[in-house]
Amino acid sequence: MNRRFAPSLFRGALLAGALLSASVAIPAVASAQVATDPAQAPAGNWTLDKRHASLTMKVKHFGTSNYTFRFAQGAIDGSYAYDPAKPLDTKVSITIDATAVDTGLPDFNKEIGTDPKFFNGAQFPKITFVSTKVEPGKLTGDLTFRGVTKPVTLDVKYNGFAKTPFGSQIMGFSATGKIKRSDFGFTHLAPMVGDDVDLAIEAEFNPKK
């Protein structure tokens, strides 16, 4: 063996060994057992983990694209009381800061969030959703937006309950739905901007402390 290359080969072997050890160790730390049967989740009051919740909206824009935006992290809050023996009796309550729009552009955020032609958050600072009916895969409730209340039904997937390696407990959901903005008096730029608004929701909840 060429002695000039022996140290570099040795260092390479050490690096490969370290990477292999890390790749074996990481799954053991990151993994968590997820129970997808709702009956296996513990009873109690659950509150939204604001760090792991999102609401994304999509609307047809001048017929050329599906414009997508969301609410800023921390703008959504919520809770529910859960009994695994009676999961369909669950009552869900969600509150959103109407002014906390996140388009990626500060001036546009303010316009969409506060202007009376858009979300009118200056007059109606809160968007709320209060459930009225829970069915397998469906959640129906009263959505109040811009001072108008209308029933909305979401398609909901229960992703499961887990205990993380860090000692926390999580119950997670994904949901999709559709509203007509005209139902809430929001008709600015119609029909150039579409009436239908697609909703995509990801949410994790933790036991209330």
Side-chain angles (χ1 to χ4, degrees), residues 3-4 17 25 33 42 45 52-53 55 65 71 75-76 78 82 103 105 108 110 130-131 136 157-158 162 166 170 199:
R3 292 184 179 181
R4 289 182 300 172
Q33 295 296 319
N45 295 314
H52 298 102
L55 169 54
S65 69
F71 284 101
I76 308 170
Y82 183 70
T103 67
L105 301 168
F108 198 30
K110 184 177 180 181
V130 179
S131 67
K157 179 185 177 184
Y158 174 68
F166 311 105
I170 301 171
L199 309 175

Side-chain angles (χ1 to χ4, degrees), residues 31-121:
S31 64
Q33 295 296 319
V34 179
T36 57
D37 181 357
Q40 294 180 278
N45 295 314
W46 293 74
T47 58
L48 188 71
D49 179 353
K50 293 183 179 183
R51 299 169 300 174
H52 298 102
S54 65
L55 169 54
T56 304
M57 294 151 285
K58 184 168 62 176
V59 62
K60 185 72 72 177
H61 188 256
F62 285 83
T64 62
S65 69
N66 293 303
Y67 181 68
T68 303
F69 62 106
R70 58 178 291 168
F71 284 101
Q73 188 175 27
I76 308 170
D77 201 1
S79 64
Y80 60 88
Y82 183 70
D83 181 353
K86 300 177 181 179
L88 300 185
D89 289 345
T90 302
K91 301 294 185 183
V92 181
S93 178
I94 302 293
T95 301
I96 304 170
D97 180 353
T99 67
V101 175
D102 182 7
T103 67
L105 301 168
D107 290 342
F108 198 30
N109 294 346
K110 184 177 180 181
E111 182 180 5
I112 296 295
T114 62
D115 193 304
K117 297 190 300 293
F118 291 99
F119 285 13
N120 200 10

